[in-house]
Amino acid sequence: ELNRQTQHLVISNEKEKNYTAKSKEKRILEIKAKSIPIGRMSEDEQRLTVYRLLFNINAITGWQMPEEEIADILIEQLQTKIIESYPFLNPHEITFAFRNNSVKEYGKNFNLYTFDEVILPYIEKRKQAEYEIQKELKKLPSTQRQNNNKR
């Protein structure tokens, strides 16, 4: 009897982990669709978005905000970094990545290296979520797949 209960717990835990993984994948894709990528914004919108991102990231991480003249340089460099390396991300994805990352110690100040440490694992999770959803769609009958693709 104990062995059967243990087996049931193991199966339940596996189902819960699978469900949790699926819901995380779905959440990542919902956030991806929430707003336009930064690379498709005008230069003024990009700058304002990066400015807001810096404050959101500060609130999440506790990084000290630099003095105004250094903050302008940081905003410029972060904007350039995002446009060069991550133009396909939107601001919601970036804040989500910082809220849900695995970086243990941020340090005291923001820098582009630590930005990469947070964003790169998020991009991998995003790719995995897209792959898993595509895999699930391929399992559907073709008529149902066409209906899902129209959404």
Side-chain angles (χ1 to χ4, degrees), residues 28 85-89 93 97 116 118-130:
I28 286 171
S85 302
Y86 313 113
F88 50 87
L89 293 178
E93 289 182 283
D116 283 341
V118 173
I119 295 300
L120 291 173
Y122 169 77
I123 291 171
E124 287 305 312
K125 289 177 188 172
R126 182 183 184 218
K127 286 178 185 174
Q128 185 63 32
E130 290 169 338

Side-chain angles (χ1 to χ4, degrees), residues 91-149:
H92 295 97
E93 289 182 283
I94 293 171
T95 53
F96 178 84
F98 275 88
R99 279 193 314 271
N100 297 283
N101 76 76
S102 60
V103 172
K104 300 288 184 225
E105 179 58 45
Y106 285 111
K108 292 171 91 176
N109 299 307
F110 180 82
N111 62 63
L112 298 181
Y113 175 78
T114 309
F115 183 81
D116 283 341
E117 280 188 353
V118 173
I119 295 300
L120 291 173
Y122 169 77
I123 291 171
E124 287 305 312
K125 289 177 188 172
R126 182 183 184 218
K127 286 178 185 174
Q128 185 63 32
E130 290 169 338
Y131 171 77
E132 292 298 327
I133 294 299
Q134 288 301 316
K135 197 165 74 171
E136 289 297 316
L137 285 175
K138 286 179 182 176
K139 291 180 184 176
L140 296 174
S142 64
T143 54
Q144 200 174 1
R145 197 176 325 137
Q146 288 171 347
N147 290 339
N148 281 337
N149 285 337

Side-chain angles (χ1 to χ4, degrees), residues 22-93:
K22 296 281 184 220
S23 62
K24 283 182 183 179
E25 290 165 356
K26 184 178 177 192
R27 181 72 180 131
I28 286 171
L29 296 177
E30 287 170 352
I31 291 169
K32 176 186 173 193
K34 200 168 186 174
S35 61
I36 67 168
I38 295 173
R40 291 185 29 215
M41 296 177 180
S42 71
E43 207 171 314
D44 288 340
E45 288 174 316
Q46 288 173 356
R47 185 160 178 79
L48 181 60
T49 298
V50 171
Y51 180 79
R52 287 182 182 150
L53 275 172
L54 193 57
F55 278 94
N56 283 326
I57 291 168
N58 170 260
I60 294 165
T61 62
W63 279 325
Q64 294 176 3
M65 291 299 289
E67 294 176 23
E68 189 175 334
E69 54 214 28
I70 295 172
D72 287 341
I73 294 168
L74 181 58
I75 290 166
E76 178 185 308
Q77 291 303 310
L78 181 57
Q79 180 179 349
T80 301
K81 175 67 176 172
I82 291 170
I83 298 309
E84 287 176 354
S85 302
Y86 313 113
F88 50 87
L89 293 178
N90 69 47
H92 295 97
E93 289 182 283

